[in-house]
Amino acid sequence: MSAVDKVKLEISVVLGRTKMPIRHLLKMGRGAVIDLDARHDDPVWIYANDELIARGEIVLLGERIGVTIVERVRRAA
């Protein structure tokens, strides 16, 4: 096993955002829908270990949902 195989990386994709009281969140059950401030064709934001690294678009892969990277985001120096 190489050193690269041991590196842990958490990838997050943000589709949109919303605000709601915690009591509403706790009342939600399976199948609940949360309205976001985004449309289906808006870009998504891709984070690696909580750091923004890219902008992407949602793609459908048969029964699965994926993300294609459209633009890398450069870190501020």
Side-chain angles (χ1 to χ4, degrees):
M1 181 180 274
S2 73
V4 173
D5 293 333
K6 296 177 184 178
V7 174
K8 302 255 187 217
L9 183 66
E10 179 178 311
I11 300 292
S12 302
V13 177
V14 177
L15 304 172
R17 299 179 190 273
T18 193
K19 289 185 179 182
M20 71 172 53
I22 191 74
R23 68 181 178 275
H24 288 176
L25 184 64
L26 294 173
K27 289 180 181 179
M28 290 183 152
R30 184 180 184 136
V33 175
I34 299 173
D35 289 328
L36 301 176
D37 64 352
R39 297 186 340 245
H40 72 281
D41 58 347
D42 283 349
V44 297
W45 303 103
I46 304 164
Y47 292 83
N49 292 340
D50 296 323
E51 184 173 327
L52 180 63
I53 61 165
R55 186 175 59 86
E57 295 176 345
I58 299 294
V59 293
L60 298 177
L61 307 166
E63 296 288 317
R64 300 174 69 172
I65 298 173
V67 175
T68 184
I69 295 174
V70 172
E71 174 187 7
R72 287 182 47 198
V73 175
R74 301 207 184 265
R75 282 197 258 180

